[in-house]
PDB file of all heavy atoms in Angstrom:
ATOM      1  N   GLU A 261       5.645  17.069  20.808  1.00 92.00           N
ATOM      2  CA  GLU A 261       4.833  16.329  21.776  1.00 92.00           C
ATOM      3  C   GLU A 261       3.828  17.254  22.456  1.00 92.00           C
ATOM      4  O   GLU A 261       2.761  16.814  22.889  1.00 92.00           O
ATOM      5  CB  GLU A 261       5.744  15.689  22.834  1.00 92.00           C
ATOM      6  CG  GLU A 261       6.567  14.517  22.316  1.00 92.00           C
ATOM      7  CD  GLU A 261       5.685  13.377  21.818  1.00 92.00           C
ATOM      8  OE1 GLU A 261       4.625  13.121  22.430  1.00 92.00           O
ATOM      9  OE2 GLU A 261       6.059  12.746  20.804  1.00 92.00           O
ATOM     10  N   ASN A 262       4.162  18.523  22.565  1.00 94.00           N
ATOM     11  CA  ASN A 262       3.296  19.497  23.225  1.00 94.00           C
ATOM     12  C   ASN A 262       2.461  20.209  22.160  1.00 94.00           C
ATOM     13  O   ASN A 262       2.961  21.060  21.418  1.00 94.00           O
ATOM     14  CB  ASN A 262       4.142  20.500  24.016  1.00 94.00           C
ATOM     15  CG  ASN A 262       3.296  21.428  24.872  1.00 94.00           C
ATOM     16  OD1 ASN A 262       2.226  21.864  24.459  1.00 94.00           O
ATOM     17  ND2 ASN A 262       3.786  21.737  26.060  1.00 94.00           N
ATOM     18  N   ALA A 263       1.165  19.866  22.085  1.00 93.00           N
ATOM     19  CA  ALA A 263       0.302  20.434  21.053  1.00 93.00           C
ATOM     20  C   ALA A 263       0.088  21.936  21.249  1.00 93.00           C
ATOM     21  O   ALA A 263      -0.065  22.679  20.268  1.00 93.00           O
ATOM     22  CB  ALA A 263      -1.044  19.716  21.046  1.00 93.00           C
ATOM     23  N   LEU A 264       0.090  22.401  22.501  1.00 95.00           N
ATOM     24  CA  LEU A 264      -0.092  23.818  22.754  1.00 95.00           C
ATOM     25  C   LEU A 264       1.105  24.610  22.228  1.00 95.00           C
ATOM     26  O   LEU A 264       0.948  25.670  21.604  1.00 95.00           O
ATOM     27  CB  LEU A 264      -0.270  24.066  24.256  1.00 95.00           C
ATOM     28  CG  LEU A 264      -0.473  25.526  24.684  1.00 95.00           C
ATOM     29  CD1 LEU A 264      -1.708  26.121  24.004  1.00 95.00           C
ATOM     30  CD2 LEU A 264      -0.589  25.627  26.207  1.00 95.00           C
ATOM     31  N   TYR A 265       2.316  24.104  22.479  1.00 95.00           N
ATOM     32  CA  TYR A 265       3.517  24.752  21.954  1.00 95.00           C
ATOM     33  C   TYR A 265       3.488  24.765  20.424  1.00 95.00           C
ATOM     34  O   TYR A 265       3.813  25.782  19.796  1.00 95.00           O
ATOM     35  CB  TYR A 265       4.761  24.022  22.444  1.00 95.00           C
ATOM     36  CG  TYR A 265       6.042  24.541  21.856  1.00 95.00           C
ATOM     37  CD1 TYR A 265       6.597  25.752  22.283  1.00 95.00           C
ATOM     38  CD2 TYR A 265       6.701  23.840  20.849  1.00 95.00           C
ATOM     39  CE1 TYR A 265       7.773  26.241  21.727  1.00 95.00           C
ATOM     40  CE2 TYR A 265       7.868  24.319  20.285  1.00 95.00           C
ATOM     41  CZ  TYR A 265       8.404  25.514  20.721  1.00 95.00           C
ATOM     42  OH  TYR A 265       9.555  26.002  20.168  1.00 95.00           O
ATOM     43  N   PHE A 266       3.076  23.638  19.827  1.00 95.00           N
ATOM     44  CA  PHE A 266       2.973  23.555  18.368  1.00 95.00           C
ATOM     45  C   PHE A 266       1.994  24.618  17.842  1.00 95.00           C
ATOM     46  O   PHE A 266       2.280  25.311  16.861  1.00 95.00           O
ATOM     47  CB  PHE A 266       2.511  22.158  17.951  1.00 95.00           C
ATOM     48  CG  PHE A 266       1.946  22.096  16.563  1.00 95.00           C
ATOM     49  CD1 PHE A 266       2.767  22.217  15.457  1.00 95.00           C
ATOM     50  CD2 PHE A 266       0.579  21.927  16.353  1.00 95.00           C
ATOM     51  CE1 PHE A 266       2.255  22.161  14.164  1.00 95.00           C
ATOM     52  CE2 PHE A 266       0.055  21.871  15.078  1.00 95.00           C
ATOM     53  CZ  PHE A 266       0.893  21.996  13.978  1.00 95.00           C
ATOM     54  N   SER A 267       0.834  24.763  18.498  1.00 95.00           N
ATOM     55  CA  SER A 267      -0.169  25.716  18.040  1.00 95.00           C
ATOM     56  C   SER A 267       0.344  27.147  18.114  1.00 95.00           C
ATOM     57  O   SER A 267       0.115  27.962  17.209  1.00 95.00           O
ATOM     58  CB  SER A 267      -1.439  25.559  18.869  1.00 95.00           C
ATOM     59  OG  SER A 267      -2.034  24.293  18.667  1.00 95.00           O
ATOM     60  N   ARG A 268       1.055  27.472  19.217  1.00 95.00           N
ATOM     61  CA  ARG A 268       1.617  28.819  19.345  1.00 95.00           C
ATOM     62  C   ARG A 268       2.666  29.089  18.277  1.00 95.00           C
ATOM     63  O   ARG A 268       2.722  30.175  17.688  1.00 95.00           O
ATOM     64  CB  ARG A 268       2.214  28.978  20.742  1.00 95.00           C
ATOM     65  CG  ARG A 268       1.174  29.055  21.860  1.00 95.00           C
ATOM     66  CD  ARG A 268       1.848  29.059  23.210  1.00 95.00           C
ATOM     67  NE  ARG A 268       0.867  29.222  24.299  1.00 95.00           N
ATOM     68  CZ  ARG A 268       1.129  29.048  25.578  1.00 95.00           C
ATOM     69  NH1 ARG A 268       2.371  28.727  25.946  1.00 95.00           N
ATOM     70  NH2 ARG A 268       0.195  29.216  26.486  1.00 95.00           N
ATOM     71  N   LEU A 269       3.513  28.100  18.007  1.00 94.00           N
ATOM     72  CA  LEU A 269       4.555  28.235  17.002  1.00 94.00           C
ATOM     73  C   LEU A 269       3.921  28.406  15.611  1.00 94.00           C
ATOM     74  O   LEU A 269       4.349  29.246  14.812  1.00 94.00           O
ATOM     75  CB  LEU A 269       5.447  26.994  17.032  1.00 94.00           C
ATOM     76  CG  LEU A 269       6.789  27.058  16.301  1.00 94.00           C
ATOM     77  CD1 LEU A 269       7.698  28.081  16.953  1.00 94.00           C
ATOM     78  CD2 LEU A 269       7.459  25.680  16.331  1.00 94.00           C
ATOM     79  N   PHE A 270       2.900  27.603  15.329  1.00 94.00           N
ATOM     80  CA  PHE A 270       2.209  27.667  14.038  1.00 94.00           C
ATOM     81  C   PHE A 270       1.610  29.054  13.846  1.00 94.00           C
ATOM     82  O   PHE A 270       1.752  29.667  12.785  1.00 94.00           O
ATOM     83  CB  PHE A 270       1.117  26.588  13.995  1.00 94.00           C
ATOM     84  CG  PHE A 270       0.498  26.401  12.640  1.00 94.00           C
ATOM     85  CD1 PHE A 270       0.961  25.423  11.779  1.00 94.00           C
ATOM     86  CD2 PHE A 270      -0.569  27.195  12.227  1.00 94.00           C
ATOM     87  CE1 PHE A 270       0.386  25.243  10.526  1.00 94.00           C
ATOM     88  CE2 PHE A 270      -1.146  27.035  10.982  1.00 94.00           C
ATOM     89  CZ  PHE A 270      -0.667  26.053  10.131  1.00 94.00           C
ATOM     90  N   HIS A 271       0.937  29.562  14.879  1.00 94.00           N
ATOM     91  CA  HIS A 271       0.302  30.878  14.781  1.00 94.00           C
ATOM     92  C   HIS A 271       1.340  31.979  14.581  1.00 94.00           C
ATOM     93  O   HIS A 271       1.133  32.917  13.795  1.00 94.00           O
ATOM     94  CB  HIS A 271      -0.521  31.146  16.050  1.00 94.00           C
ATOM     95  CG  HIS A 271      -1.370  32.380  15.965  1.00 94.00           C
ATOM     96  ND1 HIS A 271      -0.867  33.645  16.169  1.00 94.00           N
ATOM     97  CD2 HIS A 271      -2.683  32.534  15.676  1.00 94.00           C
ATOM     98  CE1 HIS A 271      -1.836  34.519  16.018  1.00 94.00           C
ATOM     99  NE2 HIS A 271      -2.953  33.889  15.723  1.00 94.00           N
ATOM    100  N   LYS A 272       2.458  31.868  15.254  1.00 93.00           N
ATOM    101  CA  LYS A 272       3.504  32.887  15.141  1.00 93.00           C
ATOM    102  C   LYS A 272       4.039  32.986  13.717  1.00 93.00           C
ATOM    103  O   LYS A 272       4.285  34.091  13.213  1.00 93.00           O
ATOM    104  CB  LYS A 272       4.652  32.547  16.106  1.00 93.00           C
ATOM    105  CG  LYS A 272       5.830  33.507  16.011  1.00 93.00           C
ATOM    106  CD  LYS A 272       6.948  33.103  16.964  1.00 93.00           C
ATOM    107  CE  LYS A 272       8.151  34.030  16.825  1.00 93.00           C
ATOM    108  NZ  LYS A 272       9.255  33.622  17.741  1.00 93.00           N
ATOM    109  N   HIS A 273       4.217  31.844  13.042  1.00 91.00           N
ATOM    110  CA  HIS A 273       4.864  31.841  11.727  1.00 91.00           C
ATOM    111  C   HIS A 273       3.859  31.860  10.569  1.00 91.00           C
ATOM    112  O   HIS A 273       4.206  32.350   9.474  1.00 91.00           O
ATOM    113  CB  HIS A 273       5.773  30.618  11.595  1.00 91.00           C
ATOM    114  CG  HIS A 273       6.987  30.694  12.460  1.00 91.00           C
ATOM    115  ND1 HIS A 273       8.153  31.314  12.063  1.00 91.00           N
ATOM    116  CD2 HIS A 273       7.218  30.257  13.726  1.00 91.00           C
ATOM    117  CE1 HIS A 273       9.047  31.241  13.022  1.00 91.00           C
ATOM    118  NE2 HIS A 273       8.514  30.604  14.046  1.00 91.00           N
ATOM    119  N   ILE A 274       2.666  31.354  10.769  1.00 91.00           N
ATOM    120  CA  ILE A 274       1.691  31.272   9.675  1.00 91.00           C
ATOM    121  C   ILE A 274       0.661  32.398   9.770  1.00 91.00           C
ATOM    122  O   ILE A 274       0.065  32.805   8.782  1.00 91.00           O
ATOM    123  CB  ILE A 274       0.977  29.893   9.681  1.00 91.00           C
ATOM    124  CG1 ILE A 274       2.019  28.773   9.617  1.00 91.00           C
ATOM    125  CG2 ILE A 274       0.018  29.769   8.499  1.00 91.00           C
ATOM    126  CD1 ILE A 274       2.918  28.811   8.397  1.00 91.00           C
ATOM    127  N   GLY A 275       0.453  32.926  10.990  1.00 92.00           N
ATOM    128  CA  GLY A 275      -0.486  34.011  11.160  1.00 92.00           C
ATOM    129  C   GLY A 275      -1.887  33.576  11.529  1.00 92.00           C
ATOM    130  O   GLY A 275      -2.777  34.412  11.722  1.00 92.00           O
ATOM    131  N   GLN A 276      -2.103  32.274  11.626  1.00 92.00           N
ATOM    132  CA  GLN A 276      -3.380  31.697  12.046  1.00 92.00           C
ATOM    133  C   GLN A 276      -3.093  30.523  12.969  1.00 92.00           C
ATOM    134  O   GLN A 276      -2.026  29.893  12.878  1.00 92.00           O
ATOM    135  CB  GLN A 276      -4.190  31.188  10.844  1.00 92.00           C
ATOM    136  CG  GLN A 276      -4.664  32.247   9.881  1.00 92.00           C
ATOM    137  CD  GLN A 276      -5.350  31.615   8.680  1.00 92.00           C
ATOM    138  OE1 GLN A 276      -4.722  30.891   7.912  1.00 92.00           O
ATOM    139  NE2 GLN A 276      -6.639  31.891   8.511  1.00 92.00           N
ATOM    140  N   SER A 277      -4.055  30.197  13.822  1.00 95.00           N
ATOM    141  CA  SER A 277      -3.920  28.967  14.598  1.00 95.00           C
ATOM    142  C   SER A 277      -4.128  27.787  13.667  1.00 95.00           C
ATOM    143  O   SER A 277      -4.712  27.932  12.574  1.00 95.00           O
ATOM    144  CB  SER A 277      -4.958  28.938  15.725  1.00 95.00           C
ATOM    145  OG  SER A 277      -6.253  28.736  15.170  1.00 95.00           O
ATOM    146  N   PRO A 278      -3.671  26.584  14.036  1.00 95.00           N
ATOM    147  CA  PRO A 278      -3.922  25.413  13.186  1.00 95.00           C
ATOM    148  C   PRO A 278      -5.400  25.236  12.878  1.00 95.00           C
ATOM    149  O   PRO A 278      -5.777  24.903  11.748  1.00 95.00           O
ATOM    150  CB  PRO A 278      -3.363  24.266  14.018  1.00 95.00           C
ATOM    151  CG  PRO A 278      -2.297  24.884  14.859  1.00 95.00           C
ATOM    152  CD  PRO A 278      -2.816  26.245  15.189  1.00 95.00           C
ATOM    153  N   ARG A 279      -6.263  25.445  13.865  1.00 94.00           N
ATOM    154  CA  ARG A 279      -7.702  25.281  13.631  1.00 94.00           C
ATOM    155  C   ARG A 279      -8.228  26.315  12.629  1.00 94.00           C
ATOM    156  O   ARG A 279      -9.000  25.985  11.718  1.00 94.00           O
ATOM    157  CB  ARG A 279      -8.452  25.401  14.953  1.00 94.00           C
ATOM    158  CG  ARG A 279      -9.919  24.985  14.869  1.00 94.00           C
ATOM    159  CD  ARG A 279     -10.551  24.989  16.242  1.00 94.00           C
ATOM    160  NE  ARG A 279      -9.802  24.165  17.180  1.00 94.00           N
ATOM    161  CZ  ARG A 279      -9.882  22.831  17.237  1.00 94.00           C
ATOM    162  NH1 ARG A 279     -10.668  22.185  16.390  1.00 94.00           N
ATOM    163  NH2 ARG A 279      -9.169  22.170  18.130  1.00 94.00           N
ATOM    164  N   GLU A 280      -7.800  27.562  12.785  1.00 94.00           N
ATOM    165  CA  GLU A 280      -8.232  28.608  11.853  1.00 94.00           C
ATOM    166  C   GLU A 280      -7.721  28.317  10.443  1.00 94.00           C
ATOM    167  O   GLU A 280      -8.433  28.525   9.452  1.00 94.00           O
ATOM    168  CB  GLU A 280      -7.706  29.966  12.331  1.00 94.00           C
ATOM    169  CG  GLU A 280      -8.380  30.500  13.586  1.00 94.00           C
ATOM    170  CD  GLU A 280      -7.664  31.707  14.146  1.00 94.00           C
ATOM    171  OE1 GLU A 280      -6.453  31.896  13.849  1.00 94.00           O
ATOM    172  OE2 GLU A 280      -8.304  32.447  14.916  1.00 94.00           O
ATOM    173  N   TYR A 281      -6.474  27.851  10.349  1.00 91.00           N
ATOM    174  CA  TYR A 281      -5.900  27.539   9.052  1.00 91.00           C
ATOM    175  C   TYR A 281      -6.712  26.434   8.370  1.00 91.00           C
ATOM    176  O   TYR A 281      -7.028  26.520   7.188  1.00 91.00           O
ATOM    177  CB  TYR A 281      -4.450  27.085   9.218  1.00 91.00           C
ATOM    178  CG  TYR A 281      -3.727  26.829   7.922  1.00 91.00           C
ATOM    179  CD1 TYR A 281      -3.122  27.883   7.219  1.00 91.00           C
ATOM    180  CD2 TYR A 281      -3.647  25.552   7.384  1.00 91.00           C
ATOM    181  CE1 TYR A 281      -2.452  27.663   6.023  1.00 91.00           C
ATOM    182  CE2 TYR A 281      -2.990  25.324   6.173  1.00 91.00           C
ATOM    183  CZ  TYR A 281      -2.390  26.373   5.518  1.00 91.00           C
ATOM    184  OH  TYR A 281      -1.746  26.163   4.328  1.00 91.00           O
TER     185      TYR A 281
END
Side-chain angles (χ1 to χ4, degrees):
E261 289 298 323
N262 187 321
L264 180 59
Y265 175 75
F266 161 72
S267 295
R268 289 174 176 169
L269 194 65
F270 190 95
H271 189 279
K272 177 182 178 181
H273 290 274
I274 305 301
Q276 294 175 296
S277 71
R279 191 174 306 281
E280 289 170 338
Y281 184 84

